[in-house]
Amino acid sequence: QGGKDIRIIDVAEYEDLYGVGMGCSYLMVVTGRNTSHIRVMSDSIVRNLKARKLNERGIVGAMKGVEGGTDIFSNKRSRARASKNGITNTSARIDDDWMVVDCGNIHVHILEEATRKCINIESLWDLSDPNSEGSKLRRVDVANDDEVDTYVAENPVPDEYSARMRNEATPGGWMTGDSGRVILP
């Protein structure tokens, strides 16, 4: 069964201004039931891109897989190989609640419902309303530390999401850092 609450966001006019992604015209935002469902949908998209031989046309998702190949456990074979080599806890990681597949002119974002509500991608890309989160964010001068601090103070990360990112909800789980994923004690 597929995802729910599917939204297509036209971002073609924002590419030059906000660096959506080279050639990306649309964002597709989909809600998955749980992390396993998100992974299955992501892997399915990649398989379908490859079946259509889009890797030969340079489509990143077809060439490198989920999240541009940075997710080394994005498919069942990789997870099995990792398990065989003694790498454990490769499922239900902290960042499995949001996966992205680059399909060329469409970037597909698949999120758990709670993560989608917290991140609110739709609002970040709604620039038609000057009071939307996206419009407010784009008015921040990132070179001005005071403006950035003010924006962050006025728009805190929701407690539910920040607790998960700090790994309070899943001790012994995965946390993503500058040098990749590590297992936390």
Side-chain angles (χ1 to χ4, degrees):
Q1 186 176 14
K4 63 179 185 176
D5 193 20
I6 299 169
R7 293 267 322 266
I8 306 287
I9 304 168
D10 184 347
V11 295
E13 65 186 82
Y14 307 139
E15 182 180 338
D16 293 338
L17 296 172
Y18 306 116
V20 177
M22 200 153 74
C24 180
S25 299
Y26 301 95
L27 298 180
M28 177 184 286
V29 184
V30 181
T31 301
R33 291 188 308 265
N34 53 47
T35 56
S36 296
H37 186 228
I38 290 169
R39 183 165 296 286
V40 166
M41 285 192 294
S42 300
D43 289 344
S44 177
I45 292 169
V46 171
R47 277 194 312 278
N48 281 292
L49 292 172
K50 288 179 180 179
R52 294 176 62 202
K53 300 189 183 310
L54 293 177
N55 52 324
E56 295 171 5
R57 295 174 64 193
I59 302 300
V60 174
M63 294 183 335
K64 297 187 177 190
V66 177
E67 299 183 348
T70 60
D71 185 353
I72 61 172
F73 302 114
S74 66
N75 63 50
K76 192 180 271 187
R77 189 178 328 139
S78 297
R79 290 190 299 275
R81 187 173 46 246
S83 180
K84 192 164 101 178
N85 290 322
I87 300 171
T88 59
N89 200 18
T90 59
S91 64
R93 294 183 325 268
I94 194 164
D95 58 351
D96 274 353
D97 56 349
W98 180 7
M99 300 194 97
V100 181
V101 180
D102 180 346
C103 301
N105 64 336
I106 300 173
H107 291 177
V108 181
H109 294 257
I110 308 171
L111 304 92
E112 276 187 340
E113 190 170 355
T115 302
R116 185 169 177 179
K117 285 179 184 172
C118 289
I119 294 173
N120 197 3
I121 290 177
E122 292 91 340
S123 178
L124 291 175
W125 287 104
D126 177 14
L127 304 183
S128 61
D129 176 4
N131 294 317
S132 73
E133 289 305 314
S135 294
K136 287 188 228 174
L137 180 60
R138 283 162 183 79
R139 287 193 298 266
V140 173
D141 177 3
V142 295
N144 182 329
D145 288 342
D146 291 335
E147 266 190 59
V148 172
D149 290 343
T150 300
Y151 179 82
V152 170
E154 291 172 355
N155 300 280
V157 174
D159 291 339
E160 172 188 356
Y161 195 70
S162 63
R164 187 166 187 187
M165 294 310 294
R166 286 193 308 269
N167 212 29
E168 292 172 2
T170 55
W174 287 82
M175 177 63 79
T176 302
D178 292 338
S179 60
R181 294 186 177 99
V182 296
I183 296 178
L184 299 174

